Amino acid sequence: MTMASVSKTFSNGTAALTDVSLTVRAGEFVSLLGPSGCGKSTALRIMAGLGGVSSGNIDWPASRITSSGRPDGDISFVFQEPTLLPWRTVAENVYLPLQLQGISRKAAQPRIEEALSTVFLADFAKAYPRELSGGMKMRVSIARALATRPKLLLMDEPFAALDEITRQKLNDEVLELWKSNGLAVVFVTHSVFESAYLSSRIVVMKARPGRIHEDFPVNVGIERDADFRTSESYRLTCERVSHSLGAAMGGEGH
Amino acid sequence: MENGERSEQLDRLIRIAIPVGVVLALLLVWYLIVHVENIPPYILPDPIAVAGALVKDWPTLWPAFLVTTKITFMSLGLALLGGTVFAVLLVQARWLELIFYPIAVVLQVTPIVAIAPLILIYAPTTQAALLICAYLVAFFPILSNLVQGLKSVDHNHLNLFELYGANRFQTLWHLKLPTALPYFMTGLKIGGGLSLIAAVVAEFSAGSSGAGSGLAFRILEAQFRLNIPRLFAALIMLSVLGIAIFALTSFLSWLLLHRWHESSLKREN
Ligand SMILES: Nc1ncnc2c1ncn2[C@@H]1O[C@H](COP(=O)(O)OP(=O)(O)OP(=O)(O)O)[C@@H](O)[C@H]1O
Ligand SMILES: [Mg+2]
């Protein structure tokens, strides 16, 4: 996925992004970090091919492009809100993207089960979204994104509503998926620690207008396991990210 | 556990007993007023006289009831079909909406029953005229509610469907129509009530007699003949029809929405 000097101005005049260039290669885990309102969600939506750009280019070289100019079935998105369909059960919600690809319910069943057990919700397949807690809804949303086995997974603060333990578990789960499937992940977060733990590369953004402040690789060649959270290199990464974020926020007033 | 069951049974009993009690009390009050005030039956008959008329005039009232029922349900069915097709077309293409919007507004704000005399002139038969009137009245609430519903789709949901490459039909079928269902049900409830009103008012203005006439004409006829017990009996049959329509549309709404929509959920916290 390549963005070349993309700008986006909304119809009300808000310049959400100016001159943003970013290339995400296969197998990368990129975290997008930045102050609220700096255009992280907007950037992510553009990467997914949702909503046009005001100027610049976006391309998905590794994907088949459909007639509508969008990559075909290789991108999944976990939105900031769960965006489940309230009239469908959990399993039917996870089935939705497969259904839209024309896969029969029967053929999809194993994938639905697999996706649901990945987020520890196998027992809730027949529940309706209203019967779930906020965190569980978010996990269904993640399961739905995984069901299509995407090459690029875009996540917009997916774990913001979760408790620390579940969050940790899902962080490890996402890492596991990332390592085993070789998929690329772009992950928006507010948490320095989360980004330092997960990423292979961190992009710090600046607000007003939204632009890239710094873009650097982290944790290269380091195994993320239980020890990693207490290791010196993790601490150094956190520090590095915090500094960069501080600089990005501090520069706002000028 | 058992306690909960018992209180639920009690709850159900209360829900049935109170409305029934209220109706019985009203009938008693009615009876007492008539007899204490000595009101003659050609002004206000007591409930027993009305019940008598209901039984005695059944051979005339029952066919009339069937005629009114048929007109109401046929017009409602047609309005349902027409309203749905039209609403879906309107939201599919913006230019269609621009063309039809003024027409829809004019027709909606004009009390349709006021053009009943015109329709009576143009329609081939009285029955057809009544049907057209009731149809027009039921059509707009169904149309406008459904259009509103189809446009109320969550933008995040639209993004989701776009992301997964849904085509127009899939978006309509799997997203827009389910989103619009609660709105559609509201339209159906309103339309159901209105189609009965329109069928009655149109028949009042038609005022035709004969074998094919409905309850409204029987009411007019009873009034001319000062047969007030029969008038009341016909009125009761009309309210029964109205209640049946209301119950039917409410049940349908419950059936389709109770598992997921807020309006039909029991609050548990
Ligand atoms: N549909 C829209 N119309 C107009 N302006 C918008 C729209 N969506 C977002 N914006 C503006 O664009 C800017 C970037 O918004 P965006 O949602 O991308 O921020 P964000 O970085 O994701 O913030 P947060 O961390 O709070 O989620 C904001 O200033 C916002 O006001
Ligand atoms: Mg955001």
Side-chain angles (χ1 to χ4, degrees):
Chain A
M1 198 282 318
T2 305
M3 279 165 101
S5 36
V6 162
S7 298
K8 167 99 182 174
T9 308
F10 285 104
S11 53
N12 64 1
T14 311
L17 295 176
T18 48
D19 201 18
V20 171
S21 299
L22 187 69
T23 300
V24 179
R25 282 167 291 270
E28 269 191 319
F29 198 120
V30 181
S31 281
L32 274 182
L33 219 64
S36 182
C38 70
K40 304 183 294 292
S41 301
T42 308
L44 217 55
R45 274 203 294 277
I46 289 173
M47 288 179 210
L50 295 171
V53 297
S54 306
S55 68
N57 268 312
I58 174 133
D59 192 22
W60 302 267
S63 298
R64 212 157 54 79
I65 306 293
T66 58
S67 53
S68 55
R70 306 198 43 264
D72 188 20
D74 292 334
I75 296 184
S76 274
F77 202 123
V78 179
F79 295 91
Q80 211 162 351
E81 296 93 41
T83 54
L84 303 177
L85 305 179
W87 54 88
R88 287 184 170 227
T89 62
V90 164
E92 285 165 347
N93 264 292
V94 175
Y95 173 47
L96 178 76
L98 302 172
Q99 183 178 30
L100 294 177
Q101 290 175 358
I103 298 171
S104 79
R105 177 65 204 256
K106 213 177 208 165
Q109 189 59 28
R111 282 218 227 167
I112 297 171
E113 279 168 16
E114 184 195 315
L116 277 178
S117 58
T118 310
V119 295
F120 320 107
L121 281 177
D123 296 341
F124 288 87
K126 290 200 169 66
Y128 282 84
R130 64 174 173 87
E131 296 162 329
L132 306 180
S133 72
M136 288 159 93
K137 281 184 208 158
M138 211 59 226
R139 275 144 68 194
V140 176
S141 173
I142 294 168
R144 179 178 62 195
L146 294 177
T148 53
R149 304 203 172 123
K151 282 190 203 154
L152 176 59
L153 180 59
L154 305 170
M155 302 175 100
D156 194 348
E157 297 180 44
F159 305 145
L162 300 187
D163 64 279
E164 196 58 36
I165 309 265
T166 317
R167 192 179 175 130
Q168 199 106 161
K169 256 191 189 166
L170 284 171
N171 276 342
D172 287 332
E173 211 57 49
V174 169
L175 267 182
E176 197 53 49
L177 281 165
W178 171 64
K179 273 189 275 190
S180 57
N181 299 3
L183 85 173
V185 180
V186 180
F187 191 93
V188 170
T189 176
H190 276 138
S191 160
V192 168
F193 305 107
E194 200 168 57
S195 66
Y197 181 64
L198 293 170
S199 320
S200 66
R201 180 175 155 204
I202 292 182
V203 175
V204 178
M205 289 180 67
K206 231 172 161 165
R208 257 157 287 151
R211 59 199 186 279
I212 293 179
H213 172 67
E214 234 184 321
D215 178 349
F216 50 92
V218 289
N219 308 331
V220 185
I222 301 174
E223 180 66 24
R224 290 168 190 73
D225 49 23
D227 291 336
F228 178 64
R229 275 183 199 283
T230 53
S231 71
E232 178 67 8
S233 55
Y234 174 63
R235 198 186 62 73
L236 285 173
T237 306
C238 288
E239 206 164 293
R240 167 96 170 83
V241 177
S242 258
H243 271 300
S244 174
L245 190 60
M249 306 256 254
E252 248 176 76
H254 302 286
Chain B
M1 194 72 229
E2 200 188 72
N3 227 341
E5 234 168 67
R6 189 168 303 159
S7 83
E8 203 167 281
Q9 268 179 6
L10 196 70
D11 196 47
R12 199 173 306 153
L13 195 71
I14 288 174
R15 271 211 307 262
I16 296 171
I18 289 182
V20 169
V22 169
V23 170
L24 286 178
L26 284 176
L27 287 175
L28 188 68
V29 170
W30 177 3
Y31 183 87
L32 288 177
I33 288 177
V34 169
H35 286 272
V36 170
E37 300 280 327
N38 256 328
I39 301 174
Y42 56 83
I43 293 180
L44 182 64
D46 70 20
I48 295 172
V50 172
L54 196 59
V55 174
K56 189 164 65 65
D57 296 333
W58 191 255
T60 19
L61 291 179
W62 178 244
F65 177 82
L66 289 183
V67 168
T68 305
T69 308
K70 197 175 109 191
I71 289 175
T72 307
F73 276 92
M74 262 173 74
S75 63
L76 188 59
L78 287 175
L80 219 63
L81 201 72
T84 308
V85 170
F86 213 61
V88 168
L89 284 179
L90 280 190
V91 295
Q92 289 299 310
R94 176 113 182 89
W95 56 270
L96 269 178
E97 196 189 345
L98 285 176
I99 292 174
F100 284 106
Y101 191 69
I103 304 174
V105 169
V106 169
L107 279 174
Q108 200 179 5
V109 297
T110 311
I112 297 295
V113 289
I115 61 169
L118 263 185
I119 296 174
L120 281 160
I121 295 172
Y122 298 144
T125 65
T126 312
Q127 297 298 304
L130 301 188
L131 195 65
I132 293 170
C133 271
Y135 166 79
L136 283 177
V137 171
F139 175 77
F140 285 103
I142 291 173
L143 175 74
S144 56
N145 274 287
L146 191 54
V147 166
Q148 179 72 20
L150 289 169
K151 286 179 169 181
S152 304
V153 177
D154 188 335
H155 284 200
N156 286 320
H157 286 155
L158 282 175
N159 279 341
L160 182 74
F161 273 67
E162 194 188 327
L163 178 74
Y164 289 117
N167 58 34
R168 263 170 171 236
F169 175 76
Q170 286 173 321
T171 309
L172 177 70
W173 186 252
H174 294 299
L175 179 60
K176 290 189 176 172
L177 285 177
T179 304
L181 194 59
Y183 295 81
F184 173 76
M185 282 300 159
T186 309
L188 179 61
K189 279 188 208 168
I190 299 172
L194 286 181
S195 65
L196 177 60
I197 295 174
V200 167
V201 174
E203 202 180 3
F204 276 161
S205 76
S208 77
S209 62
S213 45
L215 280 174
F217 176 72
R218 294 296 167 208
I219 287 176
L220 279 184
E221 189 189 49
Q223 185 211 7
F224 292 148
R225 297 181 186 171
L226 269 182
N227 189 348
I228 306 303
R230 183 195 278 189
L231 196 157
F232 269 91
L235 262 184
I236 287 173
M237 291 179 89
L238 271 181
S239 7
V240 167
L241 184 54
I243 292 168
I245 291 170
F246 176 78
L248 205 69
T249 50
S250 299
F251 174 70
L252 202 65
S253 164
W254 175 84
L255 199 69
L256 293 173
L257 300 180
H258 75 281
R259 281 194 301 187
W260 63 272
H261 196 254
E262 308 289 345
S263 67
S264 313
L265 292 181
K266 207 169 156 184
R267 219 166 137 233
E268 284 187 76
N269 60 344

